Amino acid sequence: MIKLYYGPGACSFVPHVGIEAIKAATGEEIESQTVKLHKGEQHTPEYLALNQLGQVPLLVVDGKPLNQIVAICDYLDRRFPQAGLLPSDSWQRAQAMSLFAWMNNTVHPTFTHIFRPAKFAASEAAQADVRNTAVAAFRECLERIQTLAQQAGPFLLGDRLSFVDAYALTFLRWGGLGGIDPASLPAYQTYVARVAAQPPVAAAMAREGIDLATYKPK
């Protein structure tokens, strides 16, 4: 038995897309369960017994928990290679994992500084400085992804939807929450619309109740 715990709109969207792609490719039904982060369900005793980090995503396989998004996605791809969510060629896979790791250890933490500046500074003035600095850095990351989207096609790793496409979509949504207008990144916006139209992505978005319209002009 495999079960994915995810939080709507969080980075767990990436493996959530993965289990939809796996279902489409193999017919395998992977159970999923929402963790309502805004209600603190990730900190309940029941959830912490599975994942002491109190984070999503979490994958439970035959009763054994696995956390960390890169590890979860690597496992899902190796377990269900028919879905083609990462390349099978050794060099191409290494290149894909390099991009995936950059997204996870650079782009994602940069957004954390925007969304939770109080984790990194005490005073309101210092928090504002952290946030403003992070917004600029996050935009640089989005511009790099836009360049990658312009160079590749129709998806970041070529002609098949992959985990990194789901992560790229997540970052553009988050950028809107951080005050970055997606219209200022037109090639990225066009690429993400293409990603969102893919059935596994659309299914995951529908289940999570999310859309791409996160930016609100001031």
Side-chain angles (χ1 to χ4, degrees), residues 21-203:
I22 289 165
K23 178 182 176 181
T26 69
E28 181 81 16
E29 289 274 3
I30 296 177
E31 187 179 356
S32 62
Q33 181 169 323
T34 303
V35 179
K36 297 177 181 177
L37 304 178
H38 66 288
K39 292 187 175 181
E41 290 182 355
Q42 71 274 30
H43 301 307
T44 62
E46 295 80 8
Y47 190 75
L48 290 173
L50 292 171
N51 184 0
Q52 61 182 342
L53 298 176
Q55 299 173 341
V56 291
L58 176 72
L59 193 73
V60 178
V61 181
D62 297 329
K64 297 176 289 187
L66 178 66
N67 59 44
Q68 299 302 315
I69 186 170
V70 174
I72 289 170
C73 292
D74 180 68
Y75 172 82
L76 288 173
D77 176 69
R78 293 180 187 277
R79 176 80 179 258
F80 302 101
Q82 310 95 308
L85 289 161
L86 287 170
S88 58
D89 174 80
S90 297
W91 178 252
Q92 291 177 356
R93 185 184 181 89
Q95 291 292 309
M97 294 304 289
S98 176
L99 177 58
F100 200 172
W102 172 75
M103 288 178 162
N104 187 236
N105 65 29
T106 299
V107 189
H108 190 157
T110 300
F111 182 76
T112 303
H113 285 71
I114 299 172
F115 196 59
R116 295 193 176 96
K119 290 183 64 175
F120 307 101
S123 71
E124 289 186 7
Q127 290 173 24
D129 188 49
V130 166
R131 188 181 187 282
N132 292 336
T133 300
V135 168
F138 192 71
R139 183 179 180 87
E140 289 181 2
C141 293
L142 298 187
E143 288 173 351
R144 183 193 174 199
I145 296 171
Q146 174 166 251
T147 298
L148 293 172
Q150 290 172 313
Q151 294 172 347
F155 305 110
L156 289 185
L157 301 184
D159 60 0
R160 297 193 69 166
L161 181 73
S162 73
F163 288 119
V164 297
D165 296 303
Y167 225 160
L169 180 150
T170 299
F171 291 146
L172 193 64
R173 288 191 70 255
W174 289 358
L177 295 172
I180 299 173
D181 185 353
S184 68
L185 297 157
Y188 195 161
Q189 188 177 40
T190 298
Y191 151 74
V192 161
R194 185 163 60 247
V195 172
Q198 302 307 302
V201 180

Side-chain angles (χ1 to χ4, degrees), residues 6 13 16-18 20 198-210:
Y6 69 90
F13 179 74
H16 193 177
V17 168
E20 288 294 334
Q198 302 307 302
V201 180
M205 292 180 70
R207 184 180 292 123
E208 296 195 15
I210 61 174

